[in-house]
Amino acid sequence: MSDYIDAVRNPGRAYKEVNISHTKSDELIDALLGHIQYDIEVLRPYFSPEDFLKLTEEVNRRRLVNRAPATERNLKDLIFFIHGLGGNAKATWERLPELLLDDPEVAERFDVDFYSYPTSLVRLPFGSRTPKIQELASGLDTEIRHSKKSPYRKVYLVGHSLGGLIARQYLVNEIKDNKPLRVAGLALFAVPNNGAALASIGKKLSSDHNQLKQLCEEADILEILNEDWVRFRVQKRVRTKYVVGTQDAIVDRLSAIAFWGNPDVETITGKGHIDIVKPTPDNDLAVRILRSFLLSAAG
């Protein structure tokens, strides 16, 4: 039966006779739900009171069924901070999370959590083992799934230095395993995407330091990670922001931006490898960059 109100192309168009019992009501209701700017009241003249009541009840029922539960609508997104080599879950960032949450819009929409893992700048013989990036990425997956801040909606990862590589490896793993992505955004601060020359020196001063080995420019894991990053188009699936400091003496600019021509780069002048993630109230460019990125990625 073709003589029904076409809410998509002709909202309010009058037909000679429209009876809900002979109308493609599913199509009509679907159109109404998909184009809620059309007030259902415009259809009242074309239905009997009884039929219009049926239509109204069905539309309202479907809206309630399709509507996200109240608890889900009230959930926040979660920002996971991931420290770098020799860093600390919270001390690495100093006041950055606090200054970020000082913004009312951010505080209303986001909560924060921190990923901590064993790491050190130097490993002495017979010292504690330093887990590899692959293991730490697996650990990040567990932390995200069992965060003490659960339940939440989406996740946004913020990584400093080695922490950014852990986050990238985690995302590649999720895509390879065909898992639905929980992460909607990734911010990378001073991350050695192509390795760091100083890691080679540090490796010589340490005994079997897995993390320093993997941070070397010639490390196989970085080559594989970068190939997978391109092959699986991760940057197209997850909004990514690369943040670099002009005074970074640990990670050179090309390594921090991953590749020449990368359009998703922000540069902070006067900041080095460590203080790029240690903003102060009077010098909070890192906070402003991160705030803008998070709110834009969250939509």
Side-chain angles (χ1 to χ4, degrees), residues 129-204:
R129 179 178 177 274
T130 52
K132 296 180 179 181
I133 290 174
Q134 299 94 317
E135 299 171 89
L136 297 175
S138 177
L140 177 60
D141 171 54
T142 301
E143 287 279 352
I144 290 174
R145 288 186 289 107
H146 300 284
S147 170
K148 57 183 178 291
K149 298 299 177 71
S150 294
Y152 49 81
R153 289 186 303 182
K154 286 291 186 178
V155 175
Y156 296 83
L157 302 178
V158 182
H160 174 244
S161 194
L162 173 61
L165 296 177
I166 295 169
R168 291 182 62 209
Q169 184 64 61
Y170 159 78
L171 289 172
V172 167
N173 292 348
E174 292 291 283
I175 293 172
K176 280 185 172 181
D177 293 340
N178 292 315
K179 295 179 180 179
L181 285 176
R182 304 178 185 89
V183 175
L186 171 66
L188 302 171
F189 285 83
V191 173
N193 297 290
N194 301 318
L198 283 178
S200 299
I201 299 175
K203 181 181 69 171
K204 296 177 181 178

Side-chain angles (χ1 to χ4, degrees), residues 259-272:
F259 57 91
W260 293 122
N262 187 344
D264 300 310
V265 175
E266 298 283 2
T267 301
I268 302 181
T269 58
K271 291 294 184 178

Side-chain angles (χ1 to χ4, degrees), residues 217-235:
E217 292 176 328
E218 69 276 10
D220 290 341
I221 185 173
L222 297 184
E223 181 178 348
I224 295 171
L225 176 58
N226 289 331
E227 288 177 353
D228 286 342
W229 192 261
V230 174
R231 180 182 298 112
F232 294 108
R233 301 169 62 84
V234 182
Q235 204 159 319

